[in-house]
Amino acid sequence: VNDGPRGLAREDSDVKRLSGTDALFLSTETPAWHQHVGGLTVLDPSESDRFSFDEVKRTTLERLTYVPKFRWKLKEVPLHLDRAVWVEDKAFDIDRHVRRIAVPPPGGRREVGELVGMLMSYQLDRRHPLWEMWYIDGVVGGQVAVILKYHHCLMDGMSGAGLAELLVDLAPDATGPALAPPEVDEAGPYEPSDLELVARALIPTLQTPRKMAQYAWRTAQRGVTILQQRNQNPMPLGVAGPCFNQGSVGPHRHSSFSSVALADVRALKDALGVKVNDIVLGLVSGALREHMLRHGEMPEGSLVAQIPVSTRVADDTDQTNRVATMSATLATNVDDPLERVRMIHQSTQSAKLLTEAVRARKIQSIGEVAPPLLIGLASRAVWASNITERLPVVANVVVSNVPGPPIPIYMCGAKVSGIYASSVLLAFAGLNVTLMSYIDRVDFGFTSDPDMVEDPWDIADGIQDALVELMQAAGLGKPTAVHEPFDVGDPAENLAH
């Protein structure tokens, strides 16, 4: 219980209550369907005389001044009658969150990918702040890797990218980020008692039937809007599934990586008159198509991608989730790579119009409407009955594009040589593709369920093959050679993957 006789008279604004979307990530999590995200950052410390594990840990602790949320932990409302609140972790210990491990030799991309997958295969401990960082020794070429892992209820991908910017520098000799530290309440967020939390939850709980009825009505209205919009702008979604990565996901994860030149992506965008994201989806489509053809697993229709869309405005510094989703065809059933990109572009443009029309009918997240108790019970019932395997498939893969830094960045003097994201799988599909641009390269991070995707490197390497195919079809010649962090030889060897 927090000091002082603040009790029930305390203003609601002083209680750091989870938003409905944040609470939804928490309530729907199961031992198999993790709701944490993360990223692998590869570092080259060859030109730094101060880089070390101790320095990384010291710097991280120092930079937490800019992200006080990373010192907060969850406090659940008794009986899960209402959304949890954030409270200060009075026993915060940096050693519990920043840890060290070594990758098996030779420390190449496959060994690192297996290690990342292992570290992403277990849930975060809800008794403590929901994040951890791993310092990985033994990466090929004398490099070191850092994995940052945090729960999705803590922040979304865009906020996570912003956090990463606070942990790195723009110059090797920088002593701090180019930002003034924010004003921080030294007392941390107010910690209400269990009695206060229950009292606060009584009225929202009693209002649940009314809120659910309103939610059902607004959802029906949104459904009508979707049908009207699709009649006006037909979306070539095709048929999603069944496919190789469909089924209820398990607890294990694997990570794989690939990179292409940003200049090639932009050249294709200009040549074909589409968007960067359309080219990215075209590369993912080509890689998945070839993977399915090689394994004799090509479905009748096209695979469909679920695409997270940030709804964060430019000056929004709040770290809660600001994300929506849209769906677009990957046109994997189309043989011509240029026609695939054309159909993808048509689909994404229609999806954007649909998303804008749907947003006009504002609707609360179900996490704002139903208490965590009901959402948790429903989530466990769904998993226990394996109903996800019998429901219609609405998407086969998540593809997310996160803008990264266009200039070199450093951590404790070591240059960042690569950034590969790892993210949440769909409950019924074992593959996520999240990419981030960095300087002159686009780094693809693949997160997969190894029980569904036997060889994720086949898909990762297929990105290069898809780029070659698309560049030739567009008359742009050979792709630009890129040097990935795990390549220790000639950069041109990367094109042979």
Side-chain angles (χ1 to χ4, degrees), residues 50 55 58-68 161-182 409-413:
R50 65 186 178 95
E55 182 66 11
R58 185 198 66 78
T59 301
T60 300
L61 181 61
E62 181 182 89
R63 302 289 173 87
L64 291 186
T65 304
Y66 295 83
V67 200
L163 168 67
E165 291 175 2
L166 295 175
L167 297 177
V168 299
D169 303 309
L170 301 180
D173 56 352
T175 57
L179 296 169
I409 54 177
Y410 303 82
M411 177 181 284
C412 301

PDB file of all heavy atoms in Angstrom, residues 50 55 58-68 161-182 409-413:
ATOM      1  N   ARG A  50      35.717   0.823 -24.935  1.00  0.00           N
ATOM      2  CA  ARG A  50      34.949   0.854 -23.696  1.00  0.00           C
ATOM      3  C   ARG A  50      33.766  -0.114 -23.694  1.00  0.00           C
ATOM      4  O   ARG A  50      33.091  -0.271 -22.682  1.00  0.00           O
ATOM      5  CB  ARG A  50      34.442   2.263 -23.420  1.00  0.00           C
ATOM      6  CG  ARG A  50      33.433   2.807 -24.432  1.00  0.00           C
ATOM      7  CD  ARG A  50      33.109   4.268 -24.149  1.00  0.00           C
ATOM      8  NE  ARG A  50      32.177   4.850 -25.107  1.00  0.00           N
ATOM      9  CZ  ARG A  50      30.864   4.926 -24.937  1.00  0.00           C
ATOM     10  NH1 ARG A  50      30.320   4.431 -23.834  1.00  0.00           N
ATOM     11  NH2 ARG A  50      30.096   5.497 -25.844  1.00  0.00           N
ATOM     12  N   GLU A  55      29.504  -2.261 -19.157  1.00  0.00           N
ATOM     13  CA  GLU A  55      29.186  -0.936 -19.676  1.00  0.00           C
ATOM     14  C   GLU A  55      27.775  -0.900 -20.258  1.00  0.00           C
ATOM     15  O   GLU A  55      27.040   0.075 -20.091  1.00  0.00           O
ATOM     16  CB  GLU A  55      30.208  -0.526 -20.740  1.00  0.00           C
ATOM     17  CG  GLU A  55      30.007   0.864 -21.329  1.00  0.00           C
ATOM     18  CD  GLU A  55      30.212   1.994 -20.318  1.00  0.00           C
ATOM     19  OE1 GLU A  55      30.706   1.728 -19.198  1.00  0.00           O
ATOM     20  OE2 GLU A  55      29.864   3.144 -20.654  1.00  0.00           O
ATOM     21  N   ARG A  58      25.424  -0.830 -17.284  1.00  0.00           N
ATOM     22  CA  ARG A  58      25.444   0.482 -16.628  1.00  0.00           C
ATOM     23  C   ARG A  58      24.694   1.511 -17.461  1.00  0.00           C
ATOM     24  O   ARG A  58      23.893   2.299 -16.937  1.00  0.00           O
ATOM     25  CB  ARG A  58      26.897   0.935 -16.429  1.00  0.00           C
ATOM     26  CG  ARG A  58      27.034   2.245 -15.645  1.00  0.00           C
ATOM     27  CD  ARG A  58      28.399   2.875 -15.846  1.00  0.00           C
ATOM     28  NE  ARG A  58      28.597   3.312 -17.217  1.00  0.00           N
ATOM     29  CZ  ARG A  58      28.073   4.424 -17.722  1.00  0.00           C
ATOM     30  NH1 ARG A  58      27.292   5.207 -16.991  1.00  0.00           N
ATOM     31  NH2 ARG A  58      28.310   4.764 -18.979  1.00  0.00           N
ATOM     32  N   THR A  59      24.929   1.500 -18.776  1.00  0.00           N
ATOM     33  CA  THR A  59      24.275   2.457 -19.656  1.00  0.00           C
ATOM     34  C   THR A  59      22.771   2.230 -19.702  1.00  0.00           C
ATOM     35  O   THR A  59      21.977   3.178 -19.700  1.00  0.00           O
ATOM     36  CB  THR A  59      24.866   2.357 -21.073  1.00  0.00           C
ATOM     37  OG1 THR A  59      26.272   2.625 -21.026  1.00  0.00           O
ATOM     38  CG2 THR A  59      24.194   3.346 -22.019  1.00  0.00           C
ATOM     39  N   THR A  60      22.366   0.968 -19.735  1.00  0.00           N
ATOM     40  CA  THR A  60      20.940   0.654 -19.756  1.00  0.00           C
ATOM     41  C   THR A  60      20.259   1.187 -18.497  1.00  0.00           C
ATOM     42  O   THR A  60      19.188   1.815 -18.564  1.00  0.00           O
ATOM     43  CB  THR A  60      20.720  -0.861 -19.869  1.00  0.00           C
ATOM     44  OG1 THR A  60      21.327  -1.342 -21.074  1.00  0.00           O
ATOM     45  CG2 THR A  60      19.238  -1.199 -19.881  1.00  0.00           C
ATOM     46  N   LEU A  61      20.873   0.957 -17.346  1.00  0.00           N
ATOM     47  CA  LEU A  61      20.309   1.443 -16.088  1.00  0.00           C
ATOM     48  C   LEU A  61      20.216   2.966 -16.107  1.00  0.00           C
ATOM     49  O   LEU A  61      19.210   3.548 -15.671  1.00  0.00           O
ATOM     50  CB  LEU A  61      21.164   0.969 -14.914  1.00  0.00           C
ATOM     51  CG  LEU A  61      20.696   1.387 -13.520  1.00  0.00           C
ATOM     52  CD1 LEU A  61      19.306   0.843 -13.225  1.00  0.00           C
ATOM     53  CD2 LEU A  61      21.692   0.916 -12.463  1.00  0.00           C
ATOM     54  N   GLU A  62      21.218   3.609 -16.633  1.00  0.00           N
ATOM     55  CA  GLU A  62      21.234   5.073 -16.704  1.00  0.00           C
ATOM     56  C   GLU A  62      20.136   5.590 -17.633  1.00  0.00           C
ATOM     57  O   GLU A  62      19.443   6.561 -17.328  1.00  0.00           O
ATOM     58  CB  GLU A  62      22.608   5.520 -17.214  1.00  0.00           C
ATOM     59  CG  GLU A  62      22.785   7.002 -17.326  1.00  0.00           C
ATOM     60  CD  GLU A  62      24.169   7.332 -17.881  1.00  0.00           C
ATOM     61  OE1 GLU A  62      24.288   7.407 -19.129  1.00  0.00           O
ATOM     62  OE2 GLU A  62      25.120   7.472 -17.087  1.00  0.00           O
ATOM     63  N   ARG A  63      19.940   4.911 -18.765  1.00  0.00           N
ATOM     64  CA  ARG A  63      18.960   5.371 -19.746  1.00  0.00           C
ATOM     65  C   ARG A  63      17.515   5.081 -19.322  1.00  0.00           C
ATOM     66  O   ARG A  63      16.584   5.598 -19.934  1.00  0.00           O
ATOM     67  CB  ARG A  63      19.238   4.725 -21.110  1.00  0.00           C
ATOM     68  CG  ARG A  63      20.628   4.996 -21.669  1.00  0.00           C
ATOM     69  CD  ARG A  63      20.808   6.430 -22.120  1.00  0.00           C
ATOM     70  NE  ARG A  63      22.189   6.718 -22.489  1.00  0.00           N
ATOM     71  CZ  ARG A  63      22.703   6.523 -23.703  1.00  0.00           C
ATOM     72  NH1 ARG A  63      21.937   6.044 -24.668  1.00  0.00           N
ATOM     73  NH2 ARG A  63      23.963   6.812 -23.942  1.00  0.00           N
ATOM     74  N   LEU A  64      17.329   4.228 -18.319  1.00  0.00           N
ATOM     75  CA  LEU A  64      15.966   3.973 -17.855  1.00  0.00           C
ATOM     76  C   LEU A  64      15.319   5.232 -17.289  1.00  0.00           C
ATOM     77  O   LEU A  64      14.103   5.284 -17.111  1.00  0.00           O
ATOM     78  CB  LEU A  64      15.951   2.864 -16.805  1.00  0.00           C
ATOM     79  CG  LEU A  64      16.269   1.447 -17.299  1.00  0.00           C
ATOM     80  CD1 LEU A  64      16.068   0.446 -16.188  1.00  0.00           C
ATOM     81  CD2 LEU A  64      15.433   1.086 -18.514  1.00  0.00           C
ATOM     82  N   THR A  65      16.131   6.252 -17.023  1.00  0.00           N
ATOM     83  CA  THR A  65      15.590   7.550 -16.614  1.00  0.00           C
ATOM     84  C   THR A  65      14.635   8.084 -17.673  1.00  0.00           C
ATOM     85  O   THR A  65      13.644   8.750 -17.367  1.00  0.00           O
ATOM     86  CB  THR A  65      16.736   8.562 -16.394  1.00  0.00           C
ATOM     87  OG1 THR A  65      17.643   8.035 -15.443  1.00  0.00           O
ATOM     88  CG2 THR A  65      16.201   9.898 -15.912  1.00  0.00           C
ATOM     89  N   TYR A  66      14.923   7.765 -18.939  1.00  0.00           N
ATOM     90  CA  TYR A  66      14.107   8.240 -20.041  1.00  0.00           C
ATOM     91  C   TYR A  66      12.860   7.375 -20.243  1.00  0.00           C
ATOM     92  O   TYR A  66      11.940   7.772 -20.938  1.00  0.00           O
ATOM     93  CB  TYR A  66      14.924   8.230 -21.340  1.00  0.00           C
ATOM     94  CG  TYR A  66      16.095   9.184 -21.336  1.00  0.00           C
ATOM     95  CD1 TYR A  66      17.316   8.826 -20.764  1.00  0.00           C
ATOM     96  CD2 TYR A  66      15.980  10.445 -21.915  1.00  0.00           C
ATOM     97  CE1 TYR A  66      18.388   9.705 -20.761  1.00  0.00           C
ATOM     98  CE2 TYR A  66      17.056  11.326 -21.927  1.00  0.00           C
ATOM     99  CZ  TYR A  66      18.252  10.946 -21.344  1.00  0.00           C
ATOM    100  OH  TYR A  66      19.304  11.811 -21.344  1.00  0.00           O
ATOM    101  N   VAL A  67      12.888   6.164 -19.685  1.00  0.00           N
ATOM    102  CA  VAL A  67      11.764   5.233 -19.864  1.00  0.00           C
ATOM    103  C   VAL A  67      11.349   4.703 -18.497  1.00  0.00           C
ATOM    104  O   VAL A  67      11.561   3.536 -18.172  1.00  0.00           O
ATOM    105  CB  VAL A  67      12.145   4.059 -20.791  1.00  0.00           C
ATOM    106  CG1 VAL A  67      10.882   3.397 -21.343  1.00  0.00           C
ATOM    107  CG2 VAL A  67      13.045   4.503 -21.911  1.00  0.00           C
ATOM    108  N   PRO A  68      10.752   5.522 -17.637  1.00  0.00           N
ATOM    109  CA  PRO A  68      10.403   5.073 -16.285  1.00  0.00           C
ATOM    110  C   PRO A  68       9.472   3.876 -16.276  1.00  0.00           C
ATOM    111  O   PRO A  68       9.424   3.128 -15.299  1.00  0.00           O
ATOM    112  CB  PRO A  68       9.743   6.309 -15.665  1.00  0.00           C
ATOM    113  CG  PRO A  68       9.361   7.185 -16.815  1.00  0.00           C
ATOM    114  CD  PRO A  68      10.372   6.927 -17.876  1.00  0.00           C
ATOM    115  N   ALA A 161      10.724   0.772 -30.976  1.00  0.00           N
ATOM    116  CA  ALA A 161      11.790   1.353 -31.797  1.00  0.00           C
ATOM    117  C   ALA A 161      12.285   2.650 -31.179  1.00  0.00           C
ATOM    118  O   ALA A 161      13.484   2.946 -31.181  1.00  0.00           O
ATOM    119  CB  ALA A 161      11.277   1.590 -33.216  1.00  0.00           C
ATOM    120  N   GLY A 162      11.349   3.445 -30.625  1.00  0.00           N
ATOM    121  CA  GLY A 162      11.745   4.673 -29.946  1.00  0.00           C
ATOM    122  C   GLY A 162      12.584   4.408 -28.724  1.00  0.00           C
ATOM    123  O   GLY A 162      13.547   5.127 -28.424  1.00  0.00           O
ATOM    124  N   LEU A 163      12.225   3.337 -28.003  1.00  0.00           N
ATOM    125  CA  LEU A 163      13.019   2.954 -26.835  1.00  0.00           C
ATOM    126  C   LEU A 163      14.431   2.576 -27.257  1.00  0.00           C
ATOM    127  O   LEU A 163      15.414   2.983 -26.620  1.00  0.00           O
ATOM    128  CB  LEU A 163      12.362   1.780 -26.118  1.00  0.00           C
ATOM    129  CG  LEU A 163      13.215   1.080 -25.060  1.00  0.00           C
ATOM    130  CD1 LEU A 163      13.477   2.005 -23.892  1.00  0.00           C
ATOM    131  CD2 LEU A 163      12.557  -0.199 -24.592  1.00  0.00           C
ATOM    132  N   ALA A 164      14.535   1.798 -28.320  1.00  0.00           N
ATOM    133  CA  ALA A 164      15.855   1.394 -28.796  1.00  0.00           C
ATOM    134  C   ALA A 164      16.717   2.607 -29.122  1.00  0.00           C
ATOM    135  O   ALA A 164      17.933   2.606 -28.884  1.00  0.00           O
ATOM    136  CB  ALA A 164      15.720   0.486 -30.018  1.00  0.00           C
ATOM    137  N   GLU A 165      16.082   3.665 -29.658  1.00  0.00           N
ATOM    138  CA  GLU A 165      16.831   4.874 -29.982  1.00  0.00           C
ATOM    139  C   GLU A 165      17.405   5.536 -28.729  1.00  0.00           C
ATOM    140  O   GLU A 165      18.426   6.211 -28.788  1.00  0.00           O
ATOM    141  CB  GLU A 165      15.929   5.849 -30.733  1.00  0.00           C
ATOM    142  CG  GLU A 165      15.558   5.370 -32.133  1.00  0.00           C
ATOM    143  CD  GLU A 165      14.581   6.291 -32.814  1.00  0.00           C
ATOM    144  OE1 GLU A 165      14.230   7.325 -32.213  1.00  0.00           O
ATOM    145  OE2 GLU A 165      14.162   5.972 -33.941  1.00  0.00           O
ATOM    146  N   LEU A 166      16.743   5.347 -27.589  1.00  0.00           N
ATOM    147  CA  LEU A 166      17.249   5.909 -26.342  1.00  0.00           C
ATOM    148  C   LEU A 166      18.424   5.110 -25.793  1.00  0.00           C
ATOM    149  O   LEU A 166      19.229   5.627 -25.028  1.00  0.00           O
ATOM    150  CB  LEU A 166      16.133   5.957 -25.297  1.00  0.00           C
ATOM    151  CG  LEU A 166      14.963   6.898 -25.604  1.00  0.00           C
ATOM    152  CD1 LEU A 166      13.879   6.735 -24.546  1.00  0.00           C
ATOM    153  CD2 LEU A 166      15.431   8.341 -25.659  1.00  0.00           C
ATOM    154  N   LEU A 167      18.513   3.851 -26.170  1.00  0.00           N
ATOM    155  CA  LEU A 167      19.592   3.002 -25.681  1.00  0.00           C
ATOM    156  C   LEU A 167      20.837   3.068 -26.558  1.00  0.00           C
ATOM    157  O   LEU A 167      21.871   2.520 -26.202  1.00  0.00           O
ATOM    158  CB  LEU A 167      19.114   1.545 -25.590  1.00  0.00           C
ATOM    159  CG  LEU A 167      17.963   1.283 -24.609  1.00  0.00           C
ATOM    160  CD1 LEU A 167      17.548  -0.175 -24.675  1.00  0.00           C
ATOM    161  CD2 LEU A 167      18.355   1.668 -23.189  1.00  0.00           C
ATOM    162  N   VAL A 168      20.719   3.713 -27.722  1.00  0.00           N
ATOM    163  CA  VAL A 168      21.866   3.825 -28.626  1.00  0.00           C
ATOM    164  C   VAL A 168      22.220   5.294 -28.818  1.00  0.00           C
ATOM    165  O   VAL A 168      21.497   6.190 -28.392  1.00  0.00           O
ATOM    166  CB  VAL A 168      21.563   3.152 -29.986  1.00  0.00           C
ATOM    167  CG1 VAL A 168      21.271   1.670 -29.799  1.00  0.00           C
ATOM    168  CG2 VAL A 168      20.393   3.837 -30.679  1.00  0.00           C
ATOM    169  N   ASP A 169      23.351   5.525 -29.492  1.00  0.00           N
ATOM    170  CA  ASP A 169      23.865   6.872 -29.695  1.00  0.00           C
ATOM    171  C   ASP A 169      24.096   7.128 -31.177  1.00  0.00           C
ATOM    172  O   ASP A 169      24.205   6.195 -31.984  1.00  0.00           O
ATOM    173  CB  ASP A 169      25.182   7.053 -28.938  1.00  0.00           C
ATOM    174  CG  ASP A 169      25.031   6.761 -27.446  1.00  0.00           C
ATOM    175  OD1 ASP A 169      24.110   7.324 -26.838  1.00  0.00           O
ATOM    176  OD2 ASP A 169      25.826   5.950 -26.909  1.00  0.00           O
ATOM    177  N   LEU A 170      24.230   8.407 -31.521  1.00  0.00           N
ATOM    178  CA  LEU A 170      24.481   8.790 -32.907  1.00  0.00           C
ATOM    179  C   LEU A 170      25.961   8.874 -33.235  1.00  0.00           C
ATOM    180  O   LEU A 170      26.328   9.059 -34.395  1.00  0.00           O
ATOM    181  CB  LEU A 170      23.798  10.136 -33.203  1.00  0.00           C
ATOM    182  CG  LEU A 170      22.272  10.174 -33.001  1.00  0.00           C
ATOM    183  CD1 LEU A 170      21.734  11.560 -33.327  1.00  0.00           C
ATOM    184  CD2 LEU A 170      21.593   9.120 -33.863  1.00  0.00           C
ATOM    185  N   ALA A 171      26.805   8.744 -32.224  1.00  0.00           N
ATOM    186  CA  ALA A 171      28.249   8.796 -32.436  1.00  0.00           C
ATOM    187  C   ALA A 171      28.914   7.811 -31.474  1.00  0.00           C
ATOM    188  O   ALA A 171      28.397   7.565 -30.378  1.00  0.00           O
ATOM    189  CB  ALA A 171      28.775  10.207 -32.204  1.00  0.00           C
ATOM    190  N   PRO A 172      30.055   7.247 -31.843  1.00  0.00           N
ATOM    191  CA  PRO A 172      30.699   6.249 -30.976  1.00  0.00           C
ATOM    192  C   PRO A 172      31.179   6.804 -29.642  1.00  0.00           C
ATOM    193  O   PRO A 172      31.304   6.063 -28.669  1.00  0.00           O
ATOM    194  CB  PRO A 172      31.872   5.744 -31.821  1.00  0.00           C
ATOM    195  CG  PRO A 172      32.101   6.799 -32.848  1.00  0.00           C
ATOM    196  CD  PRO A 172      30.769   7.404 -33.116  1.00  0.00           C
ATOM    197  N   ASP A 173      31.431   8.113 -29.584  1.00  0.00           N
ATOM    198  CA  ASP A 173      31.942   8.703 -28.347  1.00  0.00           C
ATOM    199  C   ASP A 173      30.871   9.469 -27.574  1.00  0.00           C
ATOM    200  O   ASP A 173      31.181  10.223 -26.641  1.00  0.00           O
ATOM    201  CB  ASP A 173      33.120   9.634 -28.643  1.00  0.00           C
ATOM    202  CG  ASP A 173      32.754  10.734 -29.644  1.00  0.00           C
ATOM    203  OD1 ASP A 173      31.636  10.673 -30.216  1.00  0.00           O
ATOM    204  OD2 ASP A 173      33.583  11.641 -29.851  1.00  0.00           O
ATOM    205  N   ALA A 174      29.600   9.292 -27.940  1.00  0.00           N
ATOM    206  CA  ALA A 174      28.511   9.992 -27.249  1.00  0.00           C
ATOM    207  C   ALA A 174      28.378   9.479 -25.822  1.00  0.00           C
ATOM    208  O   ALA A 174      28.647   8.315 -25.534  1.00  0.00           O
ATOM    209  CB  ALA A 174      27.202   9.815 -27.996  1.00  0.00           C
ATOM    210  N   THR A 175      27.967  10.350 -24.926  1.00  0.00           N
ATOM    211  CA  THR A 175      27.798   9.972 -23.511  1.00  0.00           C
ATOM    212  C   THR A 175      26.335   9.912 -23.097  1.00  0.00           C
ATOM    213  O   THR A 175      26.030   9.600 -21.949  1.00  0.00           O
ATOM    214  CB  THR A 175      28.526  10.967 -22.606  1.00  0.00           C
ATOM    215  OG1 THR A 175      28.022  12.288 -22.858  1.00  0.00           O
ATOM    216  CG2 THR A 175      30.027  10.929 -22.879  1.00  0.00           C
ATOM    217  N   GLY A 176      25.426  10.202 -24.017  1.00  0.00           N
ATOM    218  CA  GLY A 176      24.008  10.156 -23.695  1.00  0.00           C
ATOM    219  C   GLY A 176      23.189  10.488 -24.912  1.00  0.00           C
ATOM    220  O   GLY A 176      23.710  11.002 -25.905  1.00  0.00           O
ATOM    221  N   PRO A 177      21.889  10.190 -24.907  1.00  0.00           N
ATOM    222  CA  PRO A 177      21.029  10.509 -26.048  1.00  0.00           C
ATOM    223  C   PRO A 177      20.883  12.010 -26.214  1.00  0.00           C
ATOM    224  O   PRO A 177      21.062  12.781 -25.269  1.00  0.00           O
ATOM    225  CB  PRO A 177      19.693   9.854 -25.673  1.00  0.00           C
ATOM    226  CG  PRO A 177      19.719   9.762 -24.183  1.00  0.00           C
ATOM    227  CD  PRO A 177      21.154   9.560 -23.803  1.00  0.00           C
ATOM    228  N   ALA A 178      20.562  12.394 -27.446  1.00  0.00           N
ATOM    229  CA  ALA A 178      20.425  13.830 -27.746  1.00  0.00           C
ATOM    230  C   ALA A 178      19.061  14.336 -27.307  1.00  0.00           C
ATOM    231  O   ALA A 178      18.338  14.995 -28.041  1.00  0.00           O
ATOM    232  CB  ALA A 178      20.630  14.054 -29.239  1.00  0.00           C
ATOM    233  N   LEU A 179      18.680  14.017 -26.079  1.00  0.00           N
ATOM    234  CA  LEU A 179      17.396  14.427 -25.520  1.00  0.00           C
ATOM    235  C   LEU A 179      17.581  14.819 -24.063  1.00  0.00           C
ATOM    236  O   LEU A 179      18.434  14.261 -23.373  1.00  0.00           O
ATOM    237  CB  LEU A 179      16.374  13.283 -25.593  1.00  0.00           C
ATOM    238  CG  LEU A 179      15.939  12.788 -26.979  1.00  0.00           C
ATOM    239  CD1 LEU A 179      15.145  11.505 -26.820  1.00  0.00           C
ATOM    240  CD2 LEU A 179      15.118  13.839 -27.690  1.00  0.00           C
ATOM    241  N   ALA A 180      16.786  15.774 -23.615  1.00  0.00           N
ATOM    242  CA  ALA A 180      16.800  16.093 -22.192  1.00  0.00           C
ATOM    243  C   ALA A 180      15.962  15.055 -21.464  1.00  0.00           C
ATOM    244  O   ALA A 180      14.915  14.647 -21.958  1.00  0.00           O
ATOM    245  CB  ALA A 180      16.225  17.487 -21.963  1.00  0.00           C
ATOM    246  N   PRO A 181      16.420  14.571 -20.316  1.00  0.00           N
ATOM    247  CA  PRO A 181      15.629  13.570 -19.594  1.00  0.00           C
ATOM    248  C   PRO A 181      14.285  14.144 -19.196  1.00  0.00           C
ATOM    249  O   PRO A 181      14.169  15.315 -18.845  1.00  0.00           O
ATOM    250  CB  PRO A 181      16.491  13.247 -18.372  1.00  0.00           C
ATOM    251  CG  PRO A 181      17.435  14.383 -18.234  1.00  0.00           C
ATOM    252  CD  PRO A 181      17.655  14.920 -19.603  1.00  0.00           C
ATOM    253  N   PRO A 182      13.233  13.332 -19.284  1.00  0.00           N
ATOM    254  CA  PRO A 182      11.897  13.827 -18.946  1.00  0.00           C
ATOM    255  C   PRO A 182      11.756  14.053 -17.449  1.00  0.00           C
ATOM    256  O   PRO A 182      12.512  13.522 -16.645  1.00  0.00           O
ATOM    257  CB  PRO A 182      10.986  12.684 -19.418  1.00  0.00           C
ATOM    258  CG  PRO A 182      11.841  11.461 -19.295  1.00  0.00           C
ATOM    259  CD  PRO A 182      13.229  11.901 -19.639  1.00  0.00           C
ATOM    260  N   ILE A 409      24.257   3.953 -36.021  1.00  0.00           N
ATOM    261  CA  ILE A 409      24.048   4.174 -34.596  1.00  0.00           C
ATOM    262  C   ILE A 409      24.992   3.275 -33.814  1.00  0.00           C
ATOM    263  O   ILE A 409      25.545   2.303 -34.347  1.00  0.00           O
ATOM    264  CB  ILE A 409      22.575   3.917 -34.184  1.00  0.00           C
ATOM    265  CG1 ILE A 409      22.124   2.519 -34.630  1.00  0.00           C
ATOM    266  CG2 ILE A 409      21.663   4.999 -34.740  1.00  0.00           C
ATOM    267  CD1 ILE A 409      20.710   2.177 -34.199  1.00  0.00           C
ATOM    268  N   TYR A 410      25.177   3.602 -32.534  1.00  0.00           N
ATOM    269  CA  TYR A 410      26.190   2.929 -31.715  1.00  0.00           C
ATOM    270  C   TYR A 410      25.625   2.624 -30.335  1.00  0.00           C
ATOM    271  O   TYR A 410      24.728   3.314 -29.840  1.00  0.00           O
ATOM    272  CB  TYR A 410      27.424   3.824 -31.576  1.00  0.00           C
ATOM    273  CG  TYR A 410      28.038   4.221 -32.893  1.00  0.00           C
ATOM    274  CD1 TYR A 410      27.517   5.292 -33.636  1.00  0.00           C
ATOM    275  CD2 TYR A 410      29.126   3.536 -33.416  1.00  0.00           C
ATOM    276  CE1 TYR A 410      28.063   5.656 -34.849  1.00  0.00           C
ATOM    277  CE2 TYR A 410      29.687   3.897 -34.634  1.00  0.00           C
ATOM    278  CZ  TYR A 410      29.148   4.955 -35.347  1.00  0.00           C
ATOM    279  OH  TYR A 410      29.691   5.309 -36.551  1.00  0.00           O
ATOM    280  N   MET A 411      26.171   1.605 -29.718  1.00  0.00           N
ATOM    281  CA  MET A 411      25.846   1.293 -28.336  1.00  0.00           C
ATOM    282  C   MET A 411      27.151   1.141 -27.574  1.00  0.00           C
ATOM    283  O   MET A 411      27.957   0.255 -27.878  1.00  0.00           O
ATOM    284  CB  MET A 411      25.017   0.010 -28.223  1.00  0.00           C
ATOM    285  CG  MET A 411      24.702  -0.400 -26.777  1.00  0.00           C
ATOM    286  SD  MET A 411      23.732  -1.935 -26.613  1.00  0.00           S
ATOM    287  CE  MET A 411      22.114  -1.344 -27.072  1.00  0.00           C
ATOM    288  N   CYS A 412      27.358   2.030 -26.634  1.00  0.00           N
ATOM    289  CA  CYS A 412      28.589   2.012 -25.830  1.00  0.00           C
ATOM    290  C   CYS A 412      29.831   1.996 -26.713  1.00  0.00           C
ATOM    291  O   CYS A 412      30.816   1.318 -26.412  1.00  0.00           O
ATOM    292  CB  CYS A 412      28.591   0.820 -24.886  1.00  0.00           C
ATOM    293  SG  CYS A 412      27.209   0.775 -23.735  1.00  0.00           S
ATOM    294  N   GLY A 413      29.785   2.727 -27.810  1.00  0.00           N
ATOM    295  CA  GLY A 413      30.920   2.830 -28.719  1.00  0.00           C
ATOM    296  C   GLY A 413      30.950   1.787 -29.808  1.00  0.00           C
ATOM    297  O   GLY A 413      31.701   1.928 -30.778  1.00  0.00           O
TER     298      GLY A 413
END
